[in-house]
Amino acid sequence: MPERPDEAVEQALWYCAAELLTNISKHSAASAARLTVTTAAARIRLTVHDDGRGGASAAPGHGLHGLAERLAAVDGTLRISSPPGGPTAVTAELPGRL
């Protein structure tokens, strides 16, 4: 990244990465995972891919719902692609500055 994001954004990114990687280890039965961070147009995109069983959901009552709410508090979004059978890709996008 060309410059460090605002502290609240940095904390949200760290928490998001930690939560997503923990979910992979607990729930996905994945043998591999990949985390990437990119920036474009003053936005930061964190994407976590795994080759697990899929089925991740941000529906109310699921852990990813809380993560989506946490990101929304700093003008962020969470997108999930996780068909049954996998693979899963979860993308968090946030502004670099609030």
Side-chain angles (χ1 to χ4, degrees), residues 4-95:
R4 195 169 185 165
D6 283 349
E7 186 176 343
V9 172
E10 186 175 84
Q11 289 174 357
L13 284 167
W14 183 91
Y15 180 84
C16 186
E19 185 70 17
L20 292 172
L21 293 173
T22 298
N23 284 350
I24 290 169
S25 70
K26 286 184 175 181
H27 306 295
S28 75
S31 62
R34 181 178 72 244
L35 183 146
T36 57
V37 177
T38 58
T39 60
R43 304 276 299 169
I44 301 168
R45 180 177 293 156
L46 165 78
T47 303
V48 178
H49 296 266
D50 72 61
D51 64 355
R53 64 176 150 237
S57 172
H62 292 260
L64 292 176
H65 179 75
L67 185 57
E69 289 179 329
R70 185 181 192 113
L71 293 174
V74 288
D75 195 27
T77 60
L78 188 71
R79 289 189 319 274
I80 301 166
S81 173
S82 187
T88 294
V90 180
T91 301
E93 190 170 311
L94 299 101

